[in-house]
Amino acid sequence: MATALKLYILSEEAPEGETYMTNQATDTDPLIIAGRVFFSRLIIGTGKYKDYAENAAAAEASGAEIVTVAVRRVNLSDPSAPMLVDYVSPEKYTFLPNTAGCFTGEDAVRTLRLAREAGGWSLVKLEVLGDEKTLYPNMPETLRAAELLVNDGFEVMVYCSDDPIMARELEDIGCCAIMPLGAPIGSGLGIQNPVNIRLIVEQAKMPVLVDAGVGTASDAAVAMELGCDGVLMNTAVAEAKDPLQMARAMRHAVIAGRQAYLAGRMGKRLYADPSSPLAGLI
Amino acid sequence: MFEDISAETKSGEEAHKAMKIIVNGEDQYFDAPLSIAGLLTTLGIAGGKVAIERNLEIVPKSAYDTIGLSDGDRIEIVHFIGGGA
């Protein structure tokens, strides 16, 4: 796969300008989740933006094909208020309903059943929170809810702690993607435990995506270089001073990190190793 | 015909006819009979982009016309909004 990708890149003629990197560069290396094929490995959230128009522009600039969405009560006092779907179209993006804000398995399952009815699809993101300050996942509740959802026919991508044993349990239950946190949601601290993320990646049979904690482009590249199949982020783009520019940066970082992972990095040495031949020195 | 009668003005014969429906946590009063589709029309909500739960049970879109509401029903009307991780 790495060779095919390399050949593809070599044959690509570089056009002018920063639009050079497109999702096309990963055509030989798609991300497959629950049988669905994606060419972008970046999933972005749709929260915290100034308005839906900025949100739509950032989604476009990021090249993402999947966006996470929340399920909330319709505002009865103003039912004609702008709606997400009028700006970010479910025809263009795969909507991934998530259960952000749910603190019990029951709430999460109830929310996703409503999401399935509203949208008509079964690919969802489960997230059961355990603590308001850290938004750290409640893993016993997550495991219970995941089982209920899988048995109810959902395809469950699951936010979880970066514990390899929990990740394995979730896979055994039948989740279609494992999504450990890199750092607390919205913290922007980057990948705090690369060793655990790597362990999860190595044992996983399902795609592994870092969900939460990315702060800037290098964090996304680190996640991908560890061998993750993708990265999910929201705040890093939405709270950047220029969200569109950051969305483009993230798109490039995810592609760069993936290609570096596939290329296989050089070994590290303690001392220098000259890059020019020593023979023929004058 | 599905005029909203607030709790304060609800009295006499009108109160007798009205049924209380709790919509998204708010008490609202409507004349019977009323279907889910009728409720959405009254509230000015397009049915295509929402999901509805009646007394904790999901109402399939195909049943909006046929399911009638009863006094005391708890209705949740939800849709997708922006949200992240």
Side-chain angles (χ1 to χ4, degrees):
Chain A
M1 189 180 279
T3 311
L5 184 69
K6 195 173 160 193
L7 288 173
Y8 186 93
I9 294 162
L10 286 174
S11 69
E12 176 96 272
E13 281 186 36
E16 298 291 316
E18 65 173 337
T19 55
Y20 166 55
M21 264 208 201
T22 67
N23 294 337
Q24 302 303 311
T26 58
D27 262 6
T28 50
D29 175 37
L31 167 63
I32 300 170
I33 300 173
R36 293 165 174 81
V37 178
F38 302 99
F39 294 102
S40 166
R41 292 173 176 272
L42 173 58
I43 300 177
I44 70 163
T46 56
K48 296 184 176 174
Y49 286 93
K50 186 179 71 189
D51 52 35
Y52 282 145
E54 183 182 73
N55 193 337
E60 178 79 37
S62 75
E65 292 166 280
I66 306 176
V67 296
T68 61
V69 296
V71 178
R72 293 290 184 271
R73 284 172 165 172
V74 169
N75 180 358
L76 295 178
S77 57
D78 186 12
S80 61
M83 289 175 87
L84 174 71
V85 291
D86 298 329
Y87 290 84
V88 181
S89 168
E91 314 275 306
K92 185 173 173 189
Y93 298 94
T94 296
F95 270 30
L96 183 64
N98 81 61
T99 59
C102 290
F103 283 80
T104 68
E106 277 71 24
D107 282 350
V109 171
R110 184 182 172 202
T111 300
L112 290 177
R113 283 184 176 145
L114 280 164
R116 180 166 62 179
E117 183 60 27
W121 54 85
S122 54
L123 184 67
V124 295
K125 186 194 141 185
L126 171 67
E127 149 175 345
V128 186
L129 303 174
D131 177 58
E132 290 198 10
K133 193 169 177 183
T134 61
L135 299 181
Y136 210 75
N138 179 330
M139 290 312 298
E141 284 290 291
T142 300
L143 290 163
R144 207 166 58 80
E147 195 156 15
L148 285 168
L149 289 165
V150 167
N151 290 337
D152 197 10
F154 283 92
E155 288 156 317
V156 182
M157 300 174 70
V158 58
Y159 169 66
C160 55
S161 60
D162 60 6
D163 177 343
I165 308 305
M166 288 295 144
R168 196 167 60 200
E169 297 261 326
L170 289 165
E171 223 176 302
D172 290 346
I173 284 170
C175 293
C176 68
I178 308 300
M179 304 208 286
L181 77 171
I185 293 170
S187 70
L189 288 170
I191 313 298
Q192 291 296 298
N193 199 340
V195 175
N196 276 25
I197 299 290
R198 179 72 195 193
L199 288 173
I200 291 170
V201 167
E202 279 186 11
Q203 72 177 15
K205 296 176 204 73
M206 291 294 161
V208 175
L209 296 89
V210 160
D211 178 357
V214 166
T216 188
S218 53
D219 299 334
V222 165
M224 296 307 293
E225 286 172 16
L226 286 168
C228 289
D229 297 278
V231 180
L232 191 161
M233 65 180 73
N234 190 151
T235 312
V237 176
E239 285 189 6
K241 292 197 173 53
D242 181 344
L244 265 62
Q245 188 84 323
M246 187 58 88
R248 278 192 289 273
M250 290 300 184
R251 172 188 199 153
H252 294 184
V254 168
I255 294 172
R258 177 66 181 174
Q259 290 180 347
Y261 169 72
L262 293 176
R265 63 153 297 145
M266 62 164 281
K268 291 182 181 179
R269 300 184 180 92
L270 277 176
Y271 298 101
D273 183 44
S275 298
S276 305
L278 293 176
L281 271 173
I282 53 167
Chain B
M1 82 184 267
F2 300 123
E3 210 172 1
D4 188 350
I5 304 160
S6 77
E8 288 74 26
T9 60
K10 187 171 83 80
S11 62
E13 209 175 333
E14 276 184 330
H16 190 69
K17 273 195 274 180
M19 54 181 177
K20 182 170 92 171
I21 312 282
I22 301 139
V23 187
N24 287 359
E26 291 173 24
D27 290 359
Q28 299 216 19
Y29 295 87
F30 302 93
D31 284 338
L34 184 66
S35 65
I36 297 277
L39 175 71
L40 288 174
T41 308
T42 309
L43 295 170
I45 294 167
K49 294 168 181 173
V50 300
I52 295 183
E53 197 182 71
R54 178 193 181 211
N55 301 329
L56 299 178
E57 267 185 45
I58 287 179
V59 182
K61 287 190 201 304
S62 57
Y64 284 4
D65 285 321
T66 51
I67 288 193
L69 295 168
S70 310
D71 190 45
D73 275 354
R74 302 184 75 90
I75 303 292
E76 291 288 340
I77 307 172
V78 301
H79 64 159
F80 292 130
I81 66 153

